[in-house]
């Protein structure tokens, strides 16, 4: 199916594309040709109202029907074939192997939730009646879960498939029984449209209400405000920058009715290289960190942005290995010109921060490409300069050289919330690792030992979230099967006859 | 131990009581004598900083130690003996039997969480490593839970024990591993101090850091703002009016770091009396509803505030029975003069709402007592007059007479969020009950069949919450063992050596 450039509003492709916006091919450094509509207020309203209308019938579907729908979306995404891969590569500058891998993960996520639904989407808690209890009889009470209602999802720039149109937020919301109104990221509107076509086909094949999914295109920022303030929207999922996330949060705070906002924002993912580990093989750990930093051109939310070492005999060898490794890195394509510009400006700015030194640049490329960069600083400077705790989206890292091991604990104490942290330790480091692990756990959503933070398992025990600003809602994960809980809420059924109970709550 | 009138700040009783406030005995209609301090900014700051200092050590205690602490608090509350009962009765006007029952519930709640801790405070999810997996090895990932940090709790006027100083919010926060800074309700400062003495004794007996619990007294409203905006406060529990709750929410919205706000606000708890049920025995259901409405002088959050009937042959008999039953009710003491005044003003105002008719008044009493009142109206008026959906705290209810059964569904569609709703149905009503139950479930936290809403079981399958304004956080319950989850958050441990894993996550 050809691209329309339009919005998908409850089954209809609508909108004026003539004066619309275009995507950009960051690898070719040139705009693309398809024009995309800016959704109007009326279209956004129509999408949300249709989603709300679809809510009760959709939420009443059996778990098996919802599972079939998720599986069908996955099949339809695969049926898009090479078109989808080529389009996503063109719009994001990400390599084909990565997009194919991400497509697999996206389909896998849909399958994970389908399996969850088939296995029982929640664990029922049943306390039966005890009419003989004194002083008062105990009624029959059963705890189940209901979907929240219409969920708004904002696509992420850095995962055009796995955190976008049919990504983790959409999959978990649909699994929970919530219709989704999706705002496509402006950097990959064609990828979004193709995936929306797949979802639309799945809706038709599964004979569902077309209001279950709508795709909103548009550069006009007012669209986001309209969506998150809408009284029929009952939860919002977002992955992006702290700056944009906090604008959405401010809009949501103006609602008369509070709703959950699942914003996955910034993270610097500190890497603690403990002394014995560093001594074992400084070059190996250096190369491992640089490789992790370079993944996706540093555009992973779990990119290791700060590396801590205790200054000692091995520091020089470590820094030399980092330098050699960074200098061998080619300049790379970033997701969009705006992202690349921000990265370049931040790297330039860091060179002027007193107490921060440039250790190494990667290879220089054309002006639209990003050059890797690693800096060094002291703990005192890191603590003084608040901006060093802000995520720099791209292939850069800051080595914080601590004068002694106790400074690692001071660092943890000053640290804001993060998605992840890794402790790299040898056997001789175990006692220091234990001391660090306790306070560090309270600052992160995932605590890692001797592994790099990039690469997030999609499984039941994953947590992708963490204290603010890693997430605006520390009690939730945006990856893994627990993500469905963001869009469900508890309900107690008291003394209900069996025929009125949800199937999971019957005897 | 005598009353000090002071704040308990991390183990020290501090504050100037000389110009402090006094409580009021609503039954005697006269002020009490003990003066209570208004906590200063410095005292509030000190309490929060001490709580934060106590957080890591307290959160590291074994589950058994935390369970012992909760049990000891319960024992120390019982050890207060008659003093506590007499004090709570004097400050609230609630009868002795009720306070003794509530004390039992409070101690029972502490025991419930102690048992939960002993049985494993959460269910571990463990996905072991699979080094042979293609294309990438699967790391070992384990999902556990951590306490959030310092929790601020605001005492409720209507449950001086079970939702106050050592009530459900405090018990669940302490169980989760969170220190508590408690703001006592100004209507029962002496009750709060006695219970704080019990907690303080338990802290000493269990050899805990005194920062684990502080009690803040004060009439100065700035105290609440200072507490909820404090950067070290990581969650807030509140039970009270929608008006005050939304003021707290607005303060919390101004924080740079979003935190969960568990506000249990208003609820009108609609009661649907279906036609066959009404026909069976109009007098019995009428008397049941009036009795439920009169519980605690109508000051239960689950008080049945709106009763729906389909106008028909039995309406007259039903109304006559309600009238007879209401007219037999004595006027009663309310929790405070302010609450009584608001109740009386609202009842007076309702008499002037066009389309609302007074059906019956209870017996008149002295001017400081509240007189029961039941009104009737049509569905059209209920939908037009938004104020009829606001909770009236006290012994009143509104009968909404629907012209046909389909109007019951229209009512549900117009209904805001509620803690509970009951469907009263006979066998012949089952199909209508089924039609109602689906949309009604989406409006309530607890759906009840053929039972009154007053009386909340404290058990694992309870949900005391619901869509806004029943709760500011629909995904949480403030009653039952699930309440602990409000103060915990997930964390994934990846590839950690056994010695660094929490005990519940070891193999």
């Amino acid at each position: 199916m050809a691209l329309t450039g339009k919005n998908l509003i409850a089954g209809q492709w609508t909108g004026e594309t003539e004066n619309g916006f275009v995507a950009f091919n960051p690898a070719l450094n040139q705009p693309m040709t398809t024009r995309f509509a800016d959704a109007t207020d009326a279209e956004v309203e129509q999408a949300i109202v249709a989603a709300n209308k679809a809510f009760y019938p959709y939420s009443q579907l059996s778990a098996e029907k919802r599972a079939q729908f998720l599986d069908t979306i996955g099949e339809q995404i695969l049926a898009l074939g090479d078109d989808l891969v080529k389009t996503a590569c063109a719009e994001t500058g990400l390599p084909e192997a990565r997009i194919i891998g991400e497509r697999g993960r996206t389909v896998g996520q849909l399958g994970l939730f389908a399996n969850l639904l088939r296995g029982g989407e929640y664990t029922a808690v049943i306390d039966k009646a005890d009419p003989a209890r004194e002083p008062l009889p105990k009624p029959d009470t059963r705890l189940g879960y209901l979907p929240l209602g219409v969920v708004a999802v904002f696509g992420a720039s850095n995962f055009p498939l796995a955190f976008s149109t049919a990504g983790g937020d959409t999959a978990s919301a649909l699994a929970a029984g919530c219709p989704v109104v999706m705002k496509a990221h402006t950097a990959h509107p064609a990828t979004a449209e193709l995936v929306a076509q797949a979802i639309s086909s799945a809706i038709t094949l599964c004979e569902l209400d077309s209001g279950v999914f709508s795709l909103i295109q548009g550069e006009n920022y007012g669209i986001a405000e309209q969506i998150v303030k809408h009284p029929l929207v009952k939860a919002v999922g977002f992955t992006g920058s702290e700056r944009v996330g906090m604008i959405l949060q401010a809009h949501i705070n103006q609602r008369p009715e509070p709703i959950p906002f699942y914003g996955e924002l910034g993270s610097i993912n500190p890497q603690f290289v403990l002394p014995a580990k560093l001594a074992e093989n400084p070059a190996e750990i250096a190369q491992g960190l640089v490789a992790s930093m370079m993944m996706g051109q540093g555009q992973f939310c779990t990119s290791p942005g700060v590396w801590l070492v205790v200054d000692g005999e091995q520091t020089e060898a470590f820094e030399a290995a980092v330098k050699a490794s960074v200098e061998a890195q080619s300049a790379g394509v970033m997701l969009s010109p705006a992202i690349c510009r921000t990265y370049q400006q931040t790297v330039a700015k860091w060179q002027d921060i007193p107490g921060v030194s440039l250790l190494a640049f990667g290879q220089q490329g054309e002006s639209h490409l990003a050059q890797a960069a690693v800096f060094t600083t002291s703990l005192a400077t890191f603590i003084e300069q608040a901006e060093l705790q802000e995520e720099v989206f791209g292939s850069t890292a800051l080595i914080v050289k601590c004068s002694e091991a106790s400074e690692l604990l001071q660092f943890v104490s000053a640290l804001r919330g993060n998605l992840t942290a890794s402790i790299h330790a040898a056997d001789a480091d175990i006692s220091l690792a234990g001391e660090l692990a306790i306070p560090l756990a309270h600052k992160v959503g995932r605590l890692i030992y001797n592994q790099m933070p990039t690469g997030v398992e999609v499984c039941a025990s994953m947590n992708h979230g963490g204290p603010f600003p890693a997430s605006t809602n520390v009690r939730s994960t945006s990856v893994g099967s627990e993500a469905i809980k963001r869009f469900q809420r508890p309900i107690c059924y008291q003394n209900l006859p069996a025929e009125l109970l949800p199937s999971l709550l019957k005897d």
Side-chain angles (χ1 to χ4, degrees), chain A:
Chain A
M1 189 175 157
L3 288 171
T4 68
K6 297 187 175 186
N7 307 288
L8 173 64
I9 308 292
Q12 302 298 315
W13 294 94
T14 70
E16 283 305 325
T17 59
E18 210 170 314
N19 300 308
F21 68 102
V22 293
F24 193 91
N25 184 316
L28 301 180
N29 196 29
Q30 63 184 38
M32 295 173 76
T33 51
T34 307
R35 293 210 162 266
F36 288 88
D38 254 301
T40 62
D41 289 5
E43 284 165 330
V44 171
E45 175 70 19
Q46 206 187 330
I48 295 171
V49 168
N52 189 59
K53 194 151 164 286
F55 173 47
Y56 285 175
Y58 181 64
S59 71
Q60 289 295 312
L61 286 186
S62 68
E64 174 56 31
K65 289 269 183 204
R66 268 179 284 146
Q68 284 170 13
F69 177 42
L70 297 176
D71 283 341
T72 308
I73 294 173
E75 289 158 18
Q76 293 299 311
I77 288 172
L78 291 175
L80 292 167
D82 263 6
D83 259 14
L84 178 64
V85 176
K86 289 206 168 68
T87 303
C89 290
E91 287 187 323
T92 62
L94 293 169
E96 189 177 271
R98 150 69 194 271
I99 291 294
I100 290 174
E102 191 180 328
R103 182 180 61 180
R105 172 175 165 179
T106 306
V107 174
Q109 283 175 166
L110 290 157
L112 176 85
F113 289 110
N115 288 343
L116 180 76
L117 292 177
R118 291 192 172 106
E121 61 193 298
Y122 59 80
T123 309
V125 183
I126 298 178
D127 290 310
K128 294 207 175 173
D130 178 5
R133 192 185 63 175
E134 294 292 346
L136 289 170
K138 156 86 183 69
D140 180 287
T141 49
R142 298 170 188 231
L143 189 64
Y145 291 83
L146 286 177
L148 293 182
V150 178
V151 171
V153 176
F154 290 81
S157 65
N158 60 342
F159 281 85
L161 300 174
F163 277 102
S164 290
T165 313
D169 287 346
T170 299
S172 52
L174 291 177
C178 298
V180 169
V181 174
M182 178 78 207
K183 169 65 180 68
H185 197 282
T186 50
H188 51 254
T191 306
E193 178 175 335
L194 289 175
V195 175
Q197 287 175 9
I199 299 176
S200 186
S201 302
I203 287 175
T204 305
L205 288 166
C206 296
E207 301 180 340
L208 302 182
D209 186 314
S210 60
V212 164
F213 179 85
S214 287
L215 180 76
I216 306 288
Q217 300 273 18
E219 278 194 325
N220 166 13
Y221 186 69
I223 291 172
E225 181 174 354
Q226 186 187 356
I227 292 173
V228 304
K229 283 186 172 171
H230 199 289
L232 295 175
V233 169
K234 298 301 181 189
V236 177
F238 169 82
T239 299
S241 70
E242 185 175 343
R243 190 185 65 77
V244 175
M246 292 318 284
I247 293 173
L248 288 180
Q249 178 78 70
H251 290 318
I252 291 170
N253 285 348
Q254 288 170 32
R255 295 173 57 102
E257 176 192 355
I259 57 169
F261 173 48
Y262 302 107
E264 199 252 86
L265 313 182
S267 186
I268 58 174
N269 307 299
Q271 304 296 302
F272 296 81
V273 185
L274 302 196
K277 181 72 181 178
L278 191 69
E280 260 182 20
N281 194 337
E284 188 181 63
I285 188 82
Q287 286 151 11
L289 287 166
V290 173
S292 179
M293 175 190 92
M294 292 306 299
M295 283 190 74
Q297 199 62 30
Q299 300 167 119
F300 278 15
C301 13
T302 54
S303 195
V306 172
W307 312 342
L308 292 110
V309 294
V310 180
D311 211 358
E313 277 176 33
Q314 306 299 329
T315 318
E316 209 174 309
F318 173 72
E319 288 189 349
V322 169
K323 192 165 191 289
S325 181
V326 170
E327 286 174 349
Q329 304 298 327
S330 313
V333 179
M334 293 194 77
L335 293 160
S336 76
I339 286 173
C340 189
R341 212 157 39 238
T342 302
Y343 171 75
Q344 289 165 336
Q345 286 164 355
T346 309
V347 166
K349 206 168 86 181
W350 276 33
Q351 294 177 65
D352 294 333
I353 298 179
V356 174
S357 311
L358 178 71
L359 175 65
F361 262 139
Q363 291 171 24
Q364 207 174 351
E366 294 173 66
S367 68
H368 70 286
L369 300 180
Q371 187 180 16
V374 171
F375 297 86
T376 65
T377 195
S378 66
L379 177 68
T381 301
F382 180 84
I383 290 176
E384 272 163 36
Q385 304 285 342
E387 66 189 303
L388 295 177
Q389 283 216 45
E390 285 167 24
E391 175 179 339
V392 184
F393 196 65
S395 51
T396 186
L398 175 66
I399 299 173
V400 177
K401 291 194 275 189
C402 295
S403 59
E404 47 186 43
S406 67
E407 283 199 3
L408 297 174
L409 288 159
Q410 287 176 48
F411 173 91
V412 174
S413 171
L415 187 66
R416 298 171 79 200
N418 273 273
L419 290 170
T420 73
S422 300
I423 298 173
H424 301 276
D427 288 352
D429 293 314
I430 190 74
S431 135
L432 176 57
E435 253 184 285
L436 264 179
I438 292 170
L440 188 54
H442 284 287
K443 297 295 178 91
V444 301
R446 177 163 54 112
L447 183 63
I448 305 165
Y449 198 79
N450 280 337
Q451 292 180 343
M452 294 300 163
T454 39
V456 181
E457 279 299 310
V458 181
C459 61
S461 57
M462 181 43 57
N463 184 53
H464 193 67
F468 182 81
S471 171
T472 56
N473 188 312
V474 67
R475 292 181 57 241
S476 66
T477 176
S478 64
V479 175
S481 43
E482 293 280 305
I484 193 175
K485 294 190 174 162
R486 296 177 298 168
F487 305 118
Q488 296 174 322
R489 57 96 172 173
I491 178 167
C492 172
Y493 296 94
Q494 180 174 324
N495 197 38
L496 253 68
E499 56 264 57
L500 298 190
L501 281 171
S503 55
L504 281 176
L505 294 181
K506 293 189 206 283
D507 282 338

